[in-house]
């Protein structure tokens, strides 16, 4: 492959970063929309529970967990497509599936109209959302990491995580605006507006991704290989089992805590009497700070290494678990905002480093499958079950302490992996000669 000029390289980097951020933002808008709406309204619409609304919310969050259970399936499916046919083909598929499922959610009849059919259809669509999300993350990361210089991979790759954060901001803003527009009709029809708006978002995302090229690493590997691996997943399990387990362990702290801080916090806030407006805006502000800090931490990881930055984030999560809820209990706007912002800064230290860290664990021919499977298996366990478990603990005890302990336990899983097992993938990451062949440079420890 001919060497590109500095100007051409900078232009390519800008183009893929814009495409990744925009595509991720639009796709994660759809996925986060259900999670946010589940904590605010979907329990009343699809899972009525009489005098105890918390039970209906728990049922809606069970749908959240089901969506996460489908993410590894999507990771395997779209990882297979991405490793064999290309990153672009896989990303077009995730976007189409997510857009269709989210739009259809906005058309579903309520429980009062269709009975049990209503929540069954909702859960089915959530499964499709989960499958799409499972394939999205790895592809969105790879269109950056496989196109940029190794020495700045942490910085550039962190922008793909920003798209996830901005997707949450967009979904929270959409629900807040829907409440303002529909007023008393929010429960009856206003909640549907953000879901139906996903049709417009899908069209914009489709346009952006159709004009996106394939990654340099994938094209170089395809040109030199006789044929792609028949089963990239089997190759991951055979050649990279330790990297896979390491990636899963890294995800526990941020995946579990992020959905406690983003989703369960809305449930807890309502439980202690905080208005939904305060909770939504605190989440929006925190996620904007989060998105900016992801880039800062990604850049820092290029200078000091991925592991030290990740350890700092996991320790921050461990320390902040109980103070988060203590500040929520104050009921003040300032206390809630501080709780959200500090918690999200700790998450940013991990999420901002993940794209570069994970991509350096697998070779090009299996990278999409390996990243997606490691990321999504842990998401299904920690991210999918944590808000449901937290809501159940709150319903059983009436206190935040068990939820804080749950959060601390997930942070400890990640810390143990980083402290005792981080050296396992070293030497199994992209070797220097293979890195040169793939045009992405040697990995940063």
């Amino acid at each position: 492959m001919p060497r590109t000029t500095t100007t051409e390289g900078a232009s390519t980097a800008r183009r893929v970063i814009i495409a990744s951020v925009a595509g991720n933002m639009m796709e994660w808008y759809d996925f986060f929309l259900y999670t946010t709406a589940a904590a605010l309204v979907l329990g009343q619409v699809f899972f009525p529970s009489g005098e105890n609304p918390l039970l209906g919310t728990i049922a809606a969050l069970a749908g959240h967990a089901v969506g996460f259970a489908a993410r590894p399936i999507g990771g395997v499916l779209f990882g297979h497509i991405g490793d064999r046919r290309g990153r672009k083909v896989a990303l077009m598929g995730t976007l189409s599936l997510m857009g269709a499922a989210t739009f259809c959610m906005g058309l579903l009849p309520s429980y009062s109209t269709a009975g049990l059919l209503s929540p069954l259809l909702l859960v089915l669509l959530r499964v499709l959302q989960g499958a799409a999300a499972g394939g999205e993350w790895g592809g969105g990361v790879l269109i950056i990491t496989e196109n940029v210089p190794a020495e700045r991979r942490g910085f550039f790759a962190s922008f793909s995580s920003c798209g996830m954060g901005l997707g949450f901001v967009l979904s929270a803003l959409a629900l807040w605006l829907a409440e303002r527009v529909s007023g008393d009709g929010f429960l009856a029809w206003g909640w549907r507006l953000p879901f139906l708006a996903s049709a417009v978002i899908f069209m914009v995302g489709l346009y952006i991704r159709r004009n996106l090229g394939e990654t340099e690493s994938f094209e170089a590997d395809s040109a030199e290989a006789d044929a792609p691996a028949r089963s990239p997943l089997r190759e991951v399990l055979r050649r990279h089992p330790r990297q896979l387990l390491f990636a899963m362990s890294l995800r526990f702290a941020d995946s579990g805590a992020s959905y406690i801080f983003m989703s369960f916090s809305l449930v807890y806030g309502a439980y202690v009497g905080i208005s939904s407006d305060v909770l939504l805006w605190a989440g929006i502000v925190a996620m904007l700070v989060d998105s900016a800090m992801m880039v800062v931490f990604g850049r820092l990881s290029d200078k000091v290494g991925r592991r030290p930055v990740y350890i700092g984030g996991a320790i921050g999560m461990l320390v902040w678990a109980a103070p988060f809820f203590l500040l929520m209990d104050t009921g003040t706007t300032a206390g809630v905002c501080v709780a959200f912002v500090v918690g999200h800064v700790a998450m940013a230290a991990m999420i901002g480093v993940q794209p570069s860290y994970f991509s350096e664990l697998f070779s090009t021919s299996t990278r999409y499958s390996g990243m997606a499977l490691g990321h999504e298996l842990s998401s299904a366990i920690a991210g999918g079950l944590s808000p449901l478990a937290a809501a159940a603990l709150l319903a059983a005890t009436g206190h935040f302490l068990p939820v804080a302990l749950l959060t601390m336990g997930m942070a400890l899983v990640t810390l143990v992996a980083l402290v005792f097992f981080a050296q396992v993938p070293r030497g199994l990451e992209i070797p220097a000669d293979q890195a040169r062949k793939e045009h992405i440079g040697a990995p940063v420890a």
Side-chain angles (χ1 to χ4, degrees):
M1 177 177 288
R3 185 181 299 274
T4 59
T5 66
T6 302
T7 302
E8 290 172 339
S11 176
T12 297
R14 283 195 300 270
R15 186 170 65 253
V16 298
I17 287 170
I18 291 171
S20 178
V21 171
N24 277 354
M25 180 177 67
M26 292 167 185
E27 186 137 3
W28 288 101
Y29 161 87
D30 287 353
F31 190 73
F32 286 138
L33 188 60
Y34 177 94
T35 300
T36 308
L40 294 176
V41 69
L42 295 185
Q44 301 173 66
V45 176
F46 294 99
F47 305 95
S49 56
E51 297 180 357
N52 189 350
L54 186 57
L55 295 179
T57 301
I58 291 174
L61 290 174
H64 163 90
V66 168
F68 269 79
R71 285 176 63 164
I73 299 173
V76 170
L77 172 62
F78 290 106
H80 181 88
I81 295 171
D83 282 331
R84 284 184 57 84
R85 299 188 56 193
R87 316 321 194 193
K88 178 179 176 179
V89 174
L91 286 172
M92 292 292 287
T94 64
L95 180 67
S96 301
L97 184 60
M98 181 72 82
T102 305
F103 180 78
C104 288
M105 280 183 177
L107 300 175
L108 288 179
S110 66
Y111 183 89
S112 61
T113 301
L116 288 176
L117 180 63
S118 175
L120 288 175
L121 290 174
L122 179 68
V123 170
L124 174 62
L125 292 174
R126 183 59 178 172
V127 168
L128 297 180
Q129 275 192 331
E136 169 64 26
W137 183 83
V141 166
L142 290 180
I143 63 172
I144 295 180
T145 61
E146 293 186 339
N147 276 308
V148 299
E151 64 273 12
R152 302 193 71 191
R153 190 184 301 136
F155 171 68
F156 286 132
S158 64
F159 282 96
S160 65
S161 294
C162 288
M164 295 176 61
L166 294 175
F168 173 83
V169 170
L170 193 60
S171 67
L173 277 174
L175 282 168
W176 182 81
L177 287 172
E179 283 187 299
R180 306 282 81 72
V181 170
S182 56
D184 293 338
F186 180 69
L187 186 62
W189 58 271
W191 67 269
R192 300 178 184 273
L193 298 178
F195 288 86
L196 297 176
S198 67
V200 177
I201 292 174
F202 164 72
M203 296 302 295
V204 174
L206 190 65
Y207 173 79
I208 292 172
R209 288 194 168 167
R210 285 189 65 181
N211 290 279
L212 184 67
E214 192 50 79
T215 70
E216 292 182 11
S217 293
F218 182 82
E219 288 184 334
D221 188 76
S222 299
E224 297 185 20
D226 294 333
R230 294 189 53 149
S231 175
L233 174 61
R234 184 170 56 199
E235 288 297 301
V236 168
L237 297 176
R238 184 175 67 86
R239 296 169 52 194
H240 306 297
R242 287 178 288 182
Q243 294 100 312
L244 184 63
L245 291 174
F246 183 64
M248 290 176 60
S249 300
L250 292 188
R251 281 284 289 153
F252 260 77
D254 81 274
S255 182
S258 64
Y259 284 96
I260 286 179
F261 287 177
M262 289 191 306
S263 178
F264 172 74
S265 62
L266 302 181
V267 178
Y268 187 77
Y271 181 79
V272 298
I274 303 171
S275 74
S276 60
D277 279 358
V278 170
L279 294 168
L280 282 175
W281 277 105
I284 289 170
V285 171
M287 193 57 79
L288 288 172
V289 173
D290 189 355
S291 297
M293 291 304 297
M294 288 177 192
V295 179
V296 173
F297 287 122
R299 181 65 181 124
L300 182 62
S301 76
D302 285 331
K303 295 181 177 294
V304 304
R306 317 294 186 220
R307 182 169 172 261
V309 179
Y310 217 107
I311 287 176
I315 291 174
M317 192 65 67
L318 180 70
V319 171
W320 196 245
F324 177 87
F325 291 104
L326 288 171
L327 285 168
M328 291 279 288
D329 279 350
T330 67
T332 64
T333 301
V336 173
C337 285
V338 171
F340 275 59
V341 169
V342 176
H344 280 70
V345 170
M347 286 194 296
M350 295 179 283
I351 298 175
V353 177
Q354 268 175 23
S356 52
Y357 207 169
F358 280 35
S359 66
E360 290 163 351
L361 298 177
F362 303 95
S363 56
T364 299
S365 60
T366 61
R367 187 172 293 134
Y368 202 141
S369 296
M371 289 176 61
L373 189 60
H375 190 273
E376 303 311 335
L377 280 174
S378 197
S379 293
I381 299 169
L385 296 178
S386 61
L388 177 62
L393 288 170
L394 178 63
T397 67
H399 199 275
F400 72 79
L401 183 58
V403 181
L405 292 174
L406 172 66
T407 308
M408 294 168 70
M410 291 184 287
L412 280 173
V413 171
T414 294
L415 272 174
V416 168
L418 286 165
V419 172
F420 294 103
F421 302 110
Q423 297 305 313
V424 170
R426 288 182 62 85
L428 298 174
E429 295 175 320
I430 304 173
D433 58 342
Q434 183 183 344
R436 286 192 294 270
K437 168 185 168 183
E438 296 177 4
H439 305 275
I440 58 176
V444 180

